Every structure is written in structure tokens, then in C-alpha cells.
Amino acid sequence: VGALTPPLVLNRNANGFSGRAGVEYEVTPTANLYATYTRGYKGPAVSSASGGAAFAVDPEKVNAYEVGAKVDLFDRVLNLNVAGFINDFRDFQAQVFDPTLNGGLGSFRTGNASSLKTRGIEAEALVRAARGISISGGVTYLDTEYGNYRVACYVGQTAAQGCNLSGPSFDAKGSPLVGASKWNTSLAVNAERPVSEGLKVFVNADWRYRSSFYYAINDPNTIQAGYSIVNGTIGIGDIGDRARFS
């Protein structure tokens, strides 16, 4: 019987706090301005790797800021929401490349990217075009950027493209967040009409678009091109929306 691998033992202690504060100003009964600050905290962790090694993972912290406006116009026929935001992560917990593992060949483990910043603007609108008919839409612009973050080189990456660290690996500083599109847009139309005292028919149609994004950090082989999705629904339900069939 082979020897059992001894358990990994590593203790982490850390203190952190999270909270949210905000202010709101009523410009008119149908127009508000607001600003919020949120402090987020994700506790420390322990990462294991082959060979019985254990590594401390530092706490992740985020400072999030948002300013915006909410406006109702034309006797609440039109609703507009606009917001700008910044999320500033420190010691972002993620998979990192450690060149000291695997006999000097390097391997991945959970660790910390020095930082991650996301910032953007989003706008939403709702129009009550007529009785039982509404049109809604939205657009979001998002910019994301890693700080110092060591990851494995992608297939075909050259030294001139940054693949110049041991492993081989590269520093992903300045690269966009995996899975994050710069643009997301949507448009939807909803209509319903009573057909009896207790029943109504409804029709919904919506279109969504997101621009290109990476499935792996900075790897051109994993770029997902921008695409659109269109959905449509027709159905019948009770007036109180307790039951629907579509």
C-alpha cells in the first residue's frame, strides 16, 4: 500500500469590510439624480498545486462608483435611465501562472492579478406607445483592463507579441476581461389585448446584440465575433398574469 499524501495545512487570517453609501437629489417630481459608492470584499483563500504545495491567496477588494439619472417624461409615457460606473478591483482573484511549480516548468494555480478596472456607460428607455403596447431598449458600453497578470502564452504567440516570460507565459496587463463585450444593445416590443373579461392575448419580440469578445485572454484564436439574437413569443393568459400559455 502506497503512502498517503499528507494533508495541506495553511491558515489565513484577514479583516475586511463591505458597505454601500449613496445620495439622491430630486430635481423635479419626475427626475432624480443619484451617486453611489460600494466597497466590496472577497476573503482570502488557500490554493493547492501538485507536489503538495499550498499558497496563500490574498483578499480581493473592489471600489465601485456609479452616477446616474432617472427621468420620466410626457406624463410618464417615456422613462429614461442613464448611468456611468467604474469598478476598481485590487488583488483580483484569478488563475495565475507560477513558474516555480512543476520542476521549474511552471503551472497554474489560483492567485491574484494586481488589478482589474471596468468602466462604462449604460442607458435604458421605456416608451408606453399606446394602451397595451410598450417599447423598451438599452445600450451599454464597457471598457475593461487587467493590471499586471501573468498567464500562459496562447498557441502561436511569439516573443514579439509578448510571450517572453518563463513557462512560457506573458503579462496580460492592459488586456480586456475574458467574456466582456464592449457593446451590448437590446430592443423589445410588447403588446397585449384583452379578448374577454378574464383572458388576454400577448405578443413579444426582442433583439439583442453583443460585440466581439475573447474566450481566453488576448488569444486571437478564441475571439467570438459579434452576434445578434432575435426572439418572439405569442400566447394567451389571464388578465392578472397568474397563468400564461405561449
Side-chain angles (χ1 to χ4, degrees):
V1 178
L4 296 176
T5 302
L8 294 175
V9 178
L10 183 64
N11 296 320
R12 294 301 316 276
N13 292 307
N15 295 315
F17 71 93
S18 59
R20 185 175 186 272
V23 294
E24 185 173 333
Y25 175 67
E26 184 179 278
V27 181
T28 70
T30 58
N32 294 316
L33 303 176
Y34 71 90
T36 63
Y37 164 74
T38 303
R39 167 75 173 191
Y41 176 83
K42 185 178 181 180
V46 174
S47 175
S48 62
S50 60
F55 301 89
V57 181
D58 292 331
E60 175 185 303
K61 301 170 286 292
V62 59
N63 293 304
Y65 311 88
E66 182 174 334
V67 295
K70 300 179 179 181
V71 182
D72 294 329
L73 299 172
F74 311 118
D75 198 24
R76 302 185 187 277
V77 171
L78 173 62
N79 303 123
L80 292 175
N81 298 323
V82 180
F85 57 88
I86 296 175
N87 299 312
D88 191 2
F89 292 86
R90 296 297 175 186
D91 295 320
F92 182 69
Q93 293 180 5
Q95 289 293 304
V96 298
F97 183 82
D98 190 332
T100 66
L101 297 176
N102 196 23
L105 297 177
S107 183
F108 285 94
R109 63 176 177 84
T110 301
N112 298 95
S114 64
S115 64
L116 170 68
K117 178 169 284 189
T118 67
R119 55 207 162 201
I121 300 174
E122 57 185 2
E124 298 176 337
L126 171 65
V127 179
R128 299 175 179 86
R131 183 178 179 85
I133 300 176
S134 63
I135 303 170
S136 60
V139 58
T140 300
Y141 173 78
L142 178 65
D143 181 57
T144 65
E145 182 179 322
Y146 285 111
N148 293 325
Y149 181 22
R150 191 168 177 171
V151 298
C153 296
Y154 55 82
V155 176
Q157 186 177 10
T158 65
Q161 295 170 318
C163 183
N164 51 20
L165 302 176
S166 60
S169 60
F170 73 102
D171 188 352
K173 182 178 181 180
S175 299
L177 178 66
V178 170
S181 297
K182 278 191 175 294
W183 291 99
N184 284 273
T185 58
S186 65
L187 181 65
V189 179
N190 302 288
E192 59 182 47
R193 181 181 179 86
V195 292
S196 69
E197 286 189 8
L199 294 176
K200 64 180 179 182
V201 294
F202 59 88
V203 178
N204 304 320
D206 68 82
W207 165 78
R208 296 181 182 276
Y209 168 78
R210 65 179 300 185
S211 62
S212 62
F213 59 90
Y214 287 97
Y215 278 110
I217 294 178
N218 228 29
D219 184 350
N221 303 302
T222 67
I223 293 177
Q224 168 64 59
Y227 62 89
S228 295
I229 297 177
V230 178
N231 294 305
T233 305
I234 185 170
I236 188 170
D238 71 291
I239 297 294
D241 282 328
R242 293 181 295 270
R244 295 164 67 96
F245 176 80
S246 58

